[in-house]
mmCIF file of all heavy atoms in Angstrom:
data_model
loop_
_atom_site.group_PDB
_atom_site.id
_atom_site.type_symbol
_atom_site.label_atom_id
_atom_site.label_comp_id
_atom_site.label_asym_id
_atom_site.label_seq_id
_atom_site.Cartn_x
_atom_site.Cartn_y
_atom_site.Cartn_z
ATOM 1 N N ARG A 10 -41.988 -2.542 33.656
ATOM 2 C CA ARG A 10 -41.215 -2.723 32.405
ATOM 3 C C ARG A 10 -42.124 -3.245 31.318
ATOM 4 O O ARG A 10 -42.035 -2.837 30.170
ATOM 5 C CB ARG A 10 -40.044 -3.685 32.677
ATOM 6 C CG ARG A 10 -38.754 -3.112 32.148
ATOM 7 C CD ARG A 10 -37.568 -3.943 32.602
ATOM 8 N NE ARG A 10 -37.401 -3.915 34.039
ATOM 9 C CZ ARG A 10 -36.904 -4.959 34.741
ATOM 10 N NH1 ARG A 10 -36.547 -6.055 34.135
ATOM 11 N NH2 ARG A 10 -36.779 -4.849 36.052
ATOM 12 N N LYS A 11 -42.942 -4.193 31.689
ATOM 13 C CA LYS A 11 -43.883 -4.787 30.749
ATOM 14 C C LYS A 11 -44.858 -3.713 30.231
ATOM 15 O O LYS A 11 -45.144 -3.623 29.025
ATOM 16 C CB LYS A 11 -44.670 -5.924 31.433
ATOM 17 C CG LYS A 11 -44.811 -7.151 30.563
ATOM 18 C CD LYS A 11 -45.810 -8.138 31.139
ATOM 19 C CE LYS A 11 -45.166 -9.034 32.209
ATOM 20 N NZ LYS A 11 -46.198 -9.811 32.935
ATOM 21 N N PHE A 12 -45.296 -2.863 31.152
ATOM 22 C CA PHE A 12 -46.208 -1.803 30.798
ATOM 23 C C PHE A 12 -45.608 -0.863 29.756
ATOM 24 O O PHE A 12 -46.233 -0.535 28.767
ATOM 25 C CB PHE A 12 -46.612 -0.994 32.049
ATOM 26 C CG PHE A 12 -47.345 0.254 31.710
ATOM 27 C CD1 PHE A 12 -48.707 0.206 31.419
ATOM 28 C CD2 PHE A 12 -46.697 1.468 31.750
ATOM 29 C CE1 PHE A 12 -49.410 1.385 31.107
ATOM 30 C CE2 PHE A 12 -47.379 2.645 31.440
ATOM 31 C CZ PHE A 12 -48.727 2.602 31.085
ATOM 32 N N TYR A 13 -44.368 -0.482 29.988
ATOM 33 C CA TYR A 13 -43.737 0.481 29.085
ATOM 34 C C TYR A 13 -43.483 -0.106 27.701
ATOM 35 O O TYR A 13 -43.245 0.618 26.760
ATOM 36 C CB TYR A 13 -42.432 1.030 29.683
ATOM 37 C CG TYR A 13 -42.722 2.101 30.737
ATOM 38 C CD1 TYR A 13 -42.276 1.980 32.040
ATOM 39 C CD2 TYR A 13 -43.403 3.240 30.364
ATOM 40 C CE1 TYR A 13 -42.542 2.959 32.978
ATOM 41 C CE2 TYR A 13 -43.690 4.244 31.311
ATOM 42 C CZ TYR A 13 -43.271 4.098 32.605
ATOM 43 O OH TYR A 13 -43.512 5.057 33.527
ATOM 44 N N LYS A 14 -43.512 -1.432 27.617
ATOM 45 C CA LYS A 14 -43.299 -2.071 26.305
ATOM 46 C C LYS A 14 -44.614 -2.312 25.604
ATOM 47 O O LYS A 14 -44.601 -2.692 24.407
ATOM 48 C CB LYS A 14 -42.586 -3.421 26.529
ATOM 49 C CG LYS A 14 -41.122 -3.299 26.674
ATOM 50 C CD LYS A 14 -40.486 -4.648 26.622
ATOM 51 C CE LYS A 14 -39.020 -4.557 27.039
ATOM 52 N NZ LYS A 14 -38.546 -5.854 27.456
ATOM 53 N N SER A 15 -45.742 -2.114 26.288
ATOM 54 C CA SER A 15 -47.010 -2.500 25.694
ATOM 55 C C SER A 15 -47.425 -1.557 24.566
ATOM 56 O O SER A 15 -47.035 -0.383 24.544
ATOM 57 C CB SER A 15 -48.088 -2.510 26.776
ATOM 58 O OG SER A 15 -48.312 -1.184 27.237
ATOM 59 N N ALA A 16 -48.161 -2.100 23.628
ATOM 60 C CA ALA A 16 -48.586 -1.361 22.456
ATOM 61 C C ALA A 16 -49.525 -0.200 22.875
ATOM 62 O O ALA A 16 -49.438 0.912 22.313
ATOM 63 C CB ALA A 16 -49.345 -2.269 21.472
ATOM 64 N N ILE A 17 -50.330 -0.420 23.884
ATOM 65 C CA ILE A 17 -51.286 0.574 24.312
ATOM 66 C C ILE A 17 -50.549 1.792 24.903
ATOM 67 O O ILE A 17 -50.848 2.930 24.634
ATOM 68 C CB ILE A 17 -52.350 0.025 25.335
ATOM 69 C CG1 ILE A 17 -53.297 1.072 25.840
ATOM 70 C CG2 ILE A 17 -51.693 -0.692 26.505
ATOM 71 C CD1 ILE A 17 -54.517 1.252 24.983
ATOM 72 N N TRP A 18 -49.474 1.507 25.659
ATOM 73 C CA TRP A 18 -48.696 2.631 26.198
ATOM 74 C C TRP A 18 -47.996 3.407 25.075
ATOM 75 O O TRP A 18 -47.988 4.628 25.070
ATOM 76 C CB TRP A 18 -47.633 2.093 27.230
ATOM 77 C CG TRP A 18 -46.638 3.156 27.511
ATOM 78 C CD1 TRP A 18 -45.287 3.152 27.218
ATOM 79 C CD2 TRP A 18 -46.845 4.424 28.187
ATOM 80 N NE1 TRP A 18 -44.689 4.289 27.643
ATOM 81 C CE2 TRP A 18 -45.625 5.087 28.253
ATOM 82 C CE3 TRP A 18 -47.981 5.039 28.747
ATOM 83 C CZ2 TRP A 18 -45.474 6.380 28.806
ATOM 84 C CZ3 TRP A 18 -47.833 6.305 29.341
ATOM 85 C CH2 TRP A 18 -46.618 6.936 29.354
ATOM 86 N N GLN A 19 -47.473 2.688 24.110
ATOM 87 C CA GLN A 19 -46.822 3.362 22.964
ATOM 88 C C GLN A 19 -47.820 4.276 22.256
ATOM 89 O O GLN A 19 -47.469 5.419 21.861
ATOM 90 C CB GLN A 19 -46.282 2.316 21.976
ATOM 91 C CG GLN A 19 -45.170 1.434 22.529
ATOM 92 C CD GLN A 19 -43.940 2.221 23.020
ATOM 93 O OE1 GLN A 19 -43.602 3.245 22.442
ATOM 94 N NE2 GLN A 19 -43.307 1.729 24.073
ATOM 95 N N ALA A 20 -49.046 3.831 22.143
ATOM 96 C CA ALA A 20 -50.079 4.619 21.454
ATOM 97 C C ALA A 20 -50.424 5.852 22.265
ATOM 98 O O ALA A 20 -50.517 6.958 21.744
ATOM 99 C CB ALA A 20 -51.283 3.760 21.190
ATOM 100 N N VAL A 21 -50.618 5.664 23.576
ATOM 101 C CA VAL A 21 -51.009 6.795 24.444
ATOM 102 C C VAL A 21 -49.886 7.798 24.543
ATOM 103 O O VAL A 21 -50.073 9.021 24.482
ATOM 104 C CB VAL A 21 -51.400 6.270 25.858
ATOM 105 C CG1 VAL A 21 -51.565 7.394 26.856
ATOM 106 C CG2 VAL A 21 -52.695 5.453 25.747
ATOM 107 N N ARG A 22 -48.696 7.286 24.650
ATOM 108 C CA ARG A 22 -47.477 8.124 24.752
ATOM 109 C C ARG A 22 -47.384 9.050 23.533
ATOM 110 O O ARG A 22 -47.129 10.238 23.641
ATOM 111 C CB ARG A 22 -46.289 7.175 24.805
ATOM 112 C CG ARG A 22 -44.966 7.815 25.007
ATOM 113 C CD ARG A 22 -43.882 6.716 25.006
ATOM 114 N NE ARG A 22 -42.590 7.333 25.160
ATOM 115 C CZ ARG A 22 -41.912 7.872 24.143
ATOM 116 N NH1 ARG A 22 -42.396 7.826 22.922
ATOM 117 N NH2 ARG A 22 -40.729 8.429 24.338
ATOM 118 N N LYS A 23 -47.626 8.474 22.361
ATOM 119 C CA LYS A 23 -47.569 9.227 21.120
ATOM 120 C C LYS A 23 -48.609 10.340 21.148
ATOM 121 O O LYS A 23 -48.338 11.464 20.719
ATOM 122 C CB LYS A 23 -47.864 8.259 19.954
ATOM 123 C CG LYS A 23 -47.123 8.665 18.662
ATOM 124 C CD LYS A 23 -47.563 7.766 17.548
ATOM 125 C CE LYS A 23 -46.384 7.043 16.906
ATOM 126 N NZ LYS A 23 -46.850 6.066 15.874
ATOM 127 N N GLN A 24 -49.780 10.001 21.639
ATOM 128 C CA GLN A 24 -50.861 10.957 21.690
ATOM 129 C C GLN A 24 -50.485 12.176 22.602
ATOM 130 O O GLN A 24 -50.794 13.304 22.283
ATOM 131 C CB GLN A 24 -52.108 10.299 22.287
ATOM 132 C CG GLN A 24 -53.334 10.436 21.432
ATOM 133 C CD GLN A 24 -54.479 9.654 22.082
ATOM 134 O OE1 GLN A 24 -54.385 8.448 22.226
ATOM 135 N NE2 GLN A 24 -55.517 10.326 22.442
ATOM 136 N N VAL A 25 -49.825 11.857 23.705
ATOM 137 C CA VAL A 25 -49.447 12.898 24.635
ATOM 138 C C VAL A 25 -48.370 13.827 23.988
ATOM 139 O O VAL A 25 -48.456 15.032 24.087
ATOM 140 C CB VAL A 25 -48.880 12.305 25.961
ATOM 141 C CG1 VAL A 25 -48.312 13.381 26.857
ATOM 142 C CG2 VAL A 25 -49.986 11.529 26.658
ATOM 143 N N LEU A 26 -47.419 13.191 23.311
ATOM 144 C CA LEU A 26 -46.378 13.950 22.632
ATOM 145 C C LEU A 26 -46.967 14.884 21.572
ATOM 146 O O LEU A 26 -46.564 16.025 21.423
ATOM 147 C CB LEU A 26 -45.317 13.027 22.006
ATOM 148 C CG LEU A 26 -44.369 12.362 23.031
ATOM 149 C CD1 LEU A 26 -43.573 11.245 22.361
ATOM 150 C CD2 LEU A 26 -43.451 13.356 23.665
ATOM 151 N N ILE A 27 -47.950 14.391 20.852
ATOM 152 C CA ILE A 27 -48.599 15.207 19.834
ATOM 153 C C ILE A 27 -49.349 16.349 20.483
ATOM 154 O O ILE A 27 -49.248 17.498 20.088
ATOM 155 C CB ILE A 27 -49.540 14.332 18.936
ATOM 156 C CG1 ILE A 27 -48.690 13.409 18.070
ATOM 157 C CG2 ILE A 27 -50.449 15.220 18.082
ATOM 158 C CD1 ILE A 27 -49.515 12.304 17.375
ATOM 159 N N ARG A 28 -50.076 16.039 21.570
ATOM 160 C CA ARG A 28 -50.824 17.052 22.317
ATOM 161 C C ARG A 28 -49.881 18.181 22.796
ATOM 162 O O ARG A 28 -50.176 19.355 22.712
ATOM 163 C CB ARG A 28 -51.529 16.434 23.528
ATOM 164 C CG ARG A 28 -52.352 17.415 24.340
ATOM 165 C CD ARG A 28 -52.695 16.861 25.729
ATOM 166 N NE ARG A 28 -51.491 16.734 26.526
ATOM 167 C CZ ARG A 28 -51.477 16.110 27.724
ATOM 168 N NH1 ARG A 28 -52.552 15.559 28.187
ATOM 169 N NH2 ARG A 28 -50.346 16.048 28.415
ATOM 170 N N ASP A 29 -48.701 17.772 23.259
ATOM 171 C CA ASP A 29 -47.736 18.747 23.805
ATOM 172 C C ASP A 29 -46.740 19.248 22.772
ATOM 173 O O ASP A 29 -45.732 19.869 23.129
ATOM 174 C CB ASP A 29 -46.969 18.109 24.987
ATOM 175 C CG ASP A 29 -47.897 17.805 26.149
ATOM 176 O OD1 ASP A 29 -49.004 18.382 26.211
ATOM 177 O OD2 ASP A 29 -47.528 16.993 27.009
ATOM 178 N N ASN A 30 -46.990 18.986 21.476
ATOM 179 C CA ASN A 30 -46.091 19.407 20.391
ATOM 180 C C ASN A 30 -44.680 18.912 20.538
ATOM 181 O O ASN A 30 -43.722 19.642 20.171
ATOM 182 C CB ASN A 30 -46.088 20.929 20.260
ATOM 183 C CG ASN A 30 -47.445 21.477 19.828
ATOM 184 O OD1 ASN A 30 -48.067 20.918 18.921
ATOM 185 N ND2 ASN A 30 -47.886 22.509 20.503
ATOM 186 N N HIS A 31 -44.490 17.747 21.141
ATOM 187 C CA HIS A 31 -43.154 17.230 21.378
ATOM 188 C C HIS A 31 -42.273 18.228 22.116
ATOM 189 O O HIS A 31 -41.082 18.303 21.892
ATOM 190 C CB HIS A 31 -42.468 16.826 20.049
ATOM 191 C CG HIS A 31 -43.077 15.612 19.448
ATOM 192 N ND1 HIS A 31 -44.288 15.626 18.786
ATOM 193 C CD2 HIS A 31 -42.664 14.341 19.421
ATOM 194 C CE1 HIS A 31 -44.558 14.391 18.356
ATOM 195 N NE2 HIS A 31 -43.639 13.592 18.740
ATOM 196 N N GLU A 32 -42.875 18.967 23.017
ATOM 197 C CA GLU A 32 -42.155 20.016 23.702
ATOM 198 C C GLU A 32 -42.219 19.747 25.185
ATOM 199 O O GLU A 32 -43.265 19.357 25.731
ATOM 200 C CB GLU A 32 -42.876 21.359 23.426
ATOM 201 C CG GLU A 32 -42.030 22.565 23.590
ATOM 202 C CD GLU A 32 -42.784 23.821 23.247
ATOM 203 O OE1 GLU A 32 -43.667 23.775 22.323
ATOM 204 O OE2 GLU A 32 -42.584 24.841 23.897
ATOM 205 N N CYS A 33 -41.093 19.951 25.906
ATOM 206 C CA CYS A 33 -41.086 19.735 27.353
ATOM 207 C C CYS A 33 -41.964 20.791 28.009
ATOM 208 O O CYS A 33 -41.746 21.975 27.843
ATOM 209 C CB CYS A 33 -39.660 19.829 27.911
ATOM 210 S SG CYS A 33 -39.673 19.826 29.695
ATOM 211 N N GLN A 34 -42.979 20.350 28.729
ATOM 212 C CA GLN A 34 -43.959 21.292 29.267
ATOM 213 C C GLN A 34 -43.434 22.052 30.479
ATOM 214 O O GLN A 34 -43.955 23.095 30.829
ATOM 215 C CB GLN A 34 -45.259 20.505 29.669
ATOM 216 C CG GLN A 34 -45.921 19.887 28.446
ATOM 217 C CD GLN A 34 -46.302 20.928 27.397
ATOM 218 O OE1 GLN A 34 -47.163 21.771 27.609
ATOM 219 N NE2 GLN A 34 -45.655 20.869 26.240
ATOM 220 N N LYS A 35 -42.461 21.507 31.136
ATOM 221 C CA LYS A 35 -41.900 22.166 32.303
ATOM 222 C C LYS A 35 -40.981 23.297 31.852
ATOM 223 O O LYS A 35 -41.020 24.404 32.406
ATOM 224 C CB LYS A 35 -41.122 21.147 33.140
ATOM 225 C CG LYS A 35 -41.435 21.273 34.628
ATOM 226 C CD LYS A 35 -40.653 20.316 35.433
ATOM 227 C CE LYS A 35 -40.319 20.928 36.780
ATOM 228 N NZ LYS A 35 -39.320 20.087 37.518
ATOM 229 N N CYS A 36 -40.186 23.014 30.827
ATOM 230 C CA CYS A 36 -39.335 24.065 30.277
ATOM 231 C C CYS A 36 -40.157 25.138 29.691
ATOM 232 O O CYS A 36 -39.870 26.369 29.837
ATOM 233 C CB CYS A 36 -38.407 23.481 29.208
ATOM 234 S SG CYS A 36 -37.074 22.449 29.870
ATOM 235 N N LYS A 37 -41.242 24.766 29.014
ATOM 236 C CA LYS A 37 -42.152 25.724 28.417
ATOM 237 C C LYS A 37 -42.704 26.699 29.432
ATOM 238 O O LYS A 37 -42.771 27.915 29.194
ATOM 239 C CB LYS A 37 -43.312 24.991 27.709
ATOM 240 C CG LYS A 37 -44.125 25.818 26.801
ATOM 241 C CD LYS A 37 -45.245 24.960 26.202
ATOM 242 C CE LYS A 37 -46.249 25.822 25.498
ATOM 243 N NZ LYS A 37 -47.402 24.985 25.055
ATOM 244 N N GLU A 38 -43.056 26.166 30.590
ATOM 245 C CA GLU A 38 -43.588 27.002 31.682
ATOM 246 C C GLU A 38 -42.579 28.057 32.074
ATOM 247 O O GLU A 38 -42.936 29.132 32.548
ATOM 248 C CB GLU A 38 -43.860 26.085 32.897
ATOM 249 C CG GLU A 38 -45.301 26.050 33.295
ATOM 250 C CD GLU A 38 -45.534 25.009 34.385
ATOM 251 O OE1 GLU A 38 -44.933 25.143 35.456
ATOM 252 O OE2 GLU A 38 -46.311 24.075 34.137
ATOM 253 N N GLU A 39 -41.285 27.702 31.950
ATOM 254 C CA GLU A 39 -40.232 28.637 32.368
ATOM 255 C C GLU A 39 -39.751 29.449 31.189
ATOM 256 O O GLU A 39 -38.738 30.122 31.240
ATOM 257 C CB GLU A 39 -39.092 27.835 32.985
ATOM 258 C CG GLU A 39 -39.481 27.316 34.386
ATOM 259 C CD GLU A 39 -38.545 26.180 34.856
ATOM 260 O OE1 GLU A 39 -37.421 26.097 34.340
ATOM 261 O OE2 GLU A 39 -39.006 25.422 35.700
ATOM 262 N N GLY A 40 -40.468 29.363 30.093
ATOM 263 C CA GLY A 40 -40.126 30.180 28.897
ATOM 264 C C GLY A 40 -39.006 29.641 28.079
ATOM 265 O O GLY A 40 -38.446 30.361 27.256
ATOM 266 N N ARG A 41 -38.602 28.403 28.335
ATOM 267 C CA ARG A 41 -37.552 27.787 27.529
ATOM 268 C C ARG A 41 -38.169 26.776 26.576
ATOM 269 O O ARG A 41 -39.259 26.310 26.795
ATOM 270 C CB ARG A 41 -36.553 27.054 28.437
ATOM 271 C CG ARG A 41 -35.606 27.989 29.121
ATOM 272 C CD ARG A 41 -34.714 27.197 30.056
ATOM 273 N NE ARG A 41 -35.460 26.727 31.189
ATOM 274 C CZ ARG A 41 -35.235 25.549 31.783
ATOM 275 N NH1 ARG A 41 -34.346 24.688 31.293
ATOM 276 N NH2 ARG A 41 -35.925 25.190 32.830
ATOM 277 N N TYR A 42 -37.400 26.468 25.513
ATOM 278 C CA TYR A 42 -37.870 25.385 24.648
ATOM 279 C C TYR A 42 -36.942 24.205 24.730
ATOM 280 O O TYR A 42 -35.732 24.310 24.571
ATOM 281 C CB TYR A 42 -37.965 25.861 23.205
ATOM 282 C CG TYR A 42 -38.268 24.719 22.268
ATOM 283 C CD1 TYR A 42 -39.570 24.246 22.128
ATOM 284 C CD2 TYR A 42 -37.240 24.040 21.604
ATOM 285 C CE1 TYR A 42 -39.853 23.142 21.333
ATOM 286 C CE2 TYR A 42 -37.520 22.928 20.802
ATOM 287 C CZ TYR A 42 -38.835 22.502 20.676
ATOM 288 O OH TYR A 42 -39.117 21.420 19.891
ATOM 289 N N SER A 43 -37.478 23.048 25.039
ATOM 290 C CA SER A 43 -36.722 21.778 24.956
ATOM 291 C C SER A 43 -37.595 20.726 24.315
ATOM 292 O O SER A 43 -38.783 20.668 24.563
ATOM 293 C CB SER A 43 -36.342 21.295 26.354
ATOM 294 O OG SER A 43 -35.505 22.223 26.974
ATOM 295 N N LYS A 44 -36.948 19.903 23.511
ATOM 296 C CA LYS A 44 -37.662 18.829 22.911
ATOM 297 C C LYS A 44 -37.991 17.811 23.997
ATOM 298 O O LYS A 44 -37.175 17.531 24.853
ATOM 299 C CB LYS A 44 -36.776 18.167 21.848
ATOM 300 C CG LYS A 44 -37.484 17.270 20.909
ATOM 301 C CD LYS A 44 -36.467 16.724 19.902
ATOM 302 C CE LYS A 44 -36.888 15.365 19.396
ATOM 303 N NZ LYS A 44 -36.720 14.291 20.397
ATOM 304 N N ALA A 45 -39.204 17.294 23.948
ATOM 305 C CA ALA A 45 -39.609 16.283 24.969
ATOM 306 C C ALA A 45 -38.907 14.956 24.608
ATOM 307 O O ALA A 45 -38.902 14.549 23.442
ATOM 308 C CB ALA A 45 -41.112 16.153 24.960
ATOM 309 N N ASP A 46 -38.373 14.321 25.628
ATOM 310 C CA ASP A 46 -37.715 13.030 25.443
ATOM 311 C C ASP A 46 -38.601 11.904 25.933
ATOM 312 O O ASP A 46 -38.414 10.750 25.580
ATOM 313 C CB ASP A 46 -36.384 12.978 26.177
ATOM 314 C CG ASP A 46 -35.382 13.979 25.639
ATOM 315 O OD1 ASP A 46 -35.143 13.908 24.420
ATOM 316 O OD2 ASP A 46 -34.925 14.849 26.362
#
Side-chain angles (χ1 to χ4, degrees):
R10 229 170 296 149
K11 223 189 278 169
F12 170 78
Y13 281 121
K14 276 189 191 161
S15 67
I17 177 90
W18 166 247
Q19 296 301 327
V21 169
R22 184 181 179 279
K23 211 186 239 175
Q24 232 177 300
V25 174
L26 286 169
I27 290 167
R28 181 197 67 189
D29 294 342
N30 294 315
H31 289 77
E32 203 179 326
C33 171
Q34 296 302 293
K35 225 181 147 191
C36 287
K37 192 181 168 186
E38 243 173 59
E39 286 162 24
R41 282 177 289 143
Y42 173 81
S43 298
K44 195 179 152 288
D46 296 303

